[in-house]
Amino acid sequence: MYYNKDCDINFLKKKIVTIIGYGSQGHAHAKNLKDSGINVNVCLKKNSKNIDNARNYGIKVIEINEAVKISDVLIILIPDEDQRDLYYNFIHDYYDKGKTLIFAHGFNIHYKQIIPRSDLNIILIAPKAPGHTVRSTFVDKYGVPSLIAIYQDYNKNSLNLALSYCKCLGSGNVGIFLTTFKEETETDLFGEQAVLCGGVSSLIISGFETLVEAGYSPEISYFECLHELKLIVDLIYEGGIKLMRFSISNTAEFGDYYIFENFYYNLFKIKMKKIIKNIQNGNFSKEFILDKKANFLKLNLLRNNFSNHLIEIVGDKIRKMFKFKTKIIN
């Protein structure tokens, strides 16, 4: 674990830094680095709607050819599926040796979609929060934890550079974890698929459908299987599963342990071991890459199917009864 005391911002202050992309993570990185005194540019497409946003904050917008020519450090913050083409079309043959590439996710390096030249420094820096949180916590003089990994250390100084970058993001205030590209990639995919996205959405939809098919109203089923989930997740986020179990009724807590032991745990472990194996052996990455080559035919079909699911129709109606506020700092 590293903190601000381990980070020297001067390792980055001496560099020209360019962030490729200005989406959720890109805008946060760019603004946090600029506020930390770093010479930072952003690289965007000519028709990007984010050009004015960056310029209005005093960040110079440059094209990819100029970025590769003048930058000491390039941070690739565009979608995973677009990074291979970017690298081989604009970076691989044109980026000077001894310069640095930073990724926020290890997918393309770990699964060999990008095989970088051996004379480059290849670093991973992954803040563990959405971009608006990376930005808002920085503004609040706090920060979010970050993961760092070194894949290639041509200049023998990549760790210091990574720590300097993390300090500029605000992560040095709370903690910086050392990992590997392999560990970050495989655990990130597993967390998304088995728990955070695939697991949660499967559990919600299965529960909703079970209640509706048993004759209960869609509205009540929505409340019980989706709406109240935030109450539970907030408790877990603030104090772990222990706080959640302390805060709920004895009936709910007993039901928690009862279902855990008798229905879910062993079944989930069997399925999750298959999920992690599918990630480790590259099968998931192959399917994702193949679907990208097919213009995301399967992804778009699934998006369309699930967007018209009864739970979304009922949810649209119920959510109008509530006023939601999300703190987002651009």
Side-chain angles (χ1 to χ4, degrees), residues 52-99:
D52 289 341
N53 188 323
R55 286 176 174 165
N56 290 340
Y57 203 76
I59 300 172
K60 185 179 180 181
V61 178
I62 61 177
E63 295 186 11
I64 183 63
N65 292 326
E66 182 182 2
V68 172
K69 182 179 179 180
I70 70 170
S71 303
D72 301 299
V73 180
L74 288 175
I75 302 93
I76 300 179
L77 294 178
I78 60 174
D80 290 330
E81 63 268 22
D82 298 328
Q83 293 180 12
R84 175 184 167 86
D85 287 346
L86 173 82
Y87 176 78
Y88 283 108
N89 289 336
F90 298 102
I91 298 174
H92 186 77
D93 294 329
Y94 308 102
Y95 203 35
D96 291 341
K97 72 176 182 178
K99 292 189 173 184

Side-chain angles (χ1 to χ4, degrees), residues 255-273:
D256 178 344
Y257 300 132
Y258 180 80
I259 294 302
F260 183 93
E261 290 183 340
N262 294 291
F263 292 92
Y264 278 167
Y265 180 72
N266 290 329
L267 175 63
F268 282 180
K269 284 290 289 294
I270 292 171
K271 298 296 184 182
M272 287 182 175
K273 286 180 178 180

Side-chain angles (χ1 to χ4, degrees), residues 110-231:
H110 178 56
Y111 290 117
K112 308 298 182 184
Q113 293 303 296
I114 294 174
I115 301 176
R117 292 194 344 247
S118 60
D119 59 359
L120 298 175
N121 305 296
I122 307 297
I123 296 172
L124 172 77
I125 297 177
K128 299 309 292 177
H132 67 265
T133 305
V134 174
R135 179 60 182 160
S136 64
T137 55
F138 177 91
V139 171
D140 291 340
K141 312 296 184 184
Y142 192 53
V144 301
S146 281
L147 306 182
I148 61 172
I150 311 301
Y151 186 78
Q152 288 182 180
D153 189 15
Y154 182 78
N155 289 344
K156 309 303 180 186
N157 211 15
S158 295
L159 179 59
N160 287 325
L161 185 65
L163 292 172
S164 180
Y165 191 100
C166 286
K167 183 173 183 177
C168 294
L169 289 182
S171 297
N173 293 321
V174 290
I176 304 163
F177 296 83
L178 187 63
T179 183
T180 64
F181 273 69
K182 179 181 188 298
E183 183 177 58
E184 186 277 335
T185 301
E186 293 179 353
T187 57
D188 186 72
L189 293 175
F190 177 82
E192 292 168 351
Q193 295 175 26
V195 181
L196 305 176
C197 304
V200 168
S201 62
S202 296
L203 196 61
I204 290 170
I205 292 174
S206 296
F208 174 83
E209 290 179 348
T210 298
L211 286 179
V212 171
E213 290 165 7
Y216 301 101
S217 76
E219 291 78 13
I220 298 301
S221 302
Y222 181 91
F223 276 119
E224 296 301 332
C225 295
L226 189 153
H227 180 80
E228 293 186 14
L229 182 65
K230 183 181 185 305
L231 306 175

